Amino acid sequence: MEMIITVAVILAMIAVGVIVIRRLSTQHDARIAAFHYSDALPGVGRRMRKRRRRADGTADEANRDGNYG
């Protein structure tokens, strides 16, 4: 009898886990659909800018070795 209860509890916990994971996946998909113009992995495959803009609108020039100073 104890074995049947143990198996039932384990199956119930698996079912609850599946439901939670599906709900989180649905929320994640909705969030991605709402922001479809954003990058999935920011920075991957992008080129570095030659100039970096400051808050006041002026640009920093790159040093000879490509570092920004």
Side-chain angles (χ1 to χ4, degrees), residues 27-37:
Q27 287 178 356
H28 181 68
D29 291 342
R31 198 171 297 133
I32 288 174
F35 297 105
H36 61 278
Y37 291 109

Side-chain angles (χ1 to χ4, degrees), residues 27-67:
Q27 287 178 356
H28 181 68
D29 291 342
R31 198 171 297 133
I32 288 174
F35 297 105
H36 61 278
Y37 291 109
S38 64
D39 293 337
L41 297 172
V44 174
R46 290 189 176 184
R47 294 182 186 173
M48 290 184 58
R49 293 183 181 172
K50 299 260 182 196
R51 297 182 192 176
R52 185 172 56 181
R53 296 269 177 203
R54 290 186 181 175
D56 61 2
T58 61
D60 288 339
E61 294 293 329
N63 294 338
R64 296 179 84 187
D65 58 356
N67 294 330

Side-chain angles (χ1 to χ4, degrees), residues 2-53:
E2 291 177 16
M3 181 66 107
I4 295 172
I5 293 173
T6 304
V7 170
V9 168
I10 290 172
L11 291 175
M13 293 303 291
I14 290 173
V16 168
V18 167
I19 292 169
V20 169
I21 289 172
R22 289 189 70 180
R23 288 195 60 172
L24 289 174
S25 179
T26 303
Q27 287 178 356
H28 181 68
D29 291 342
R31 198 171 297 133
I32 288 174
F35 297 105
H36 61 278
Y37 291 109
S38 64
D39 293 337
L41 297 172
V44 174
R46 290 189 176 184
R47 294 182 186 173
M48 290 184 58
R49 293 183 181 172
K50 299 260 182 196
R51 297 182 192 176
R52 185 172 56 181
R53 296 269 177 203

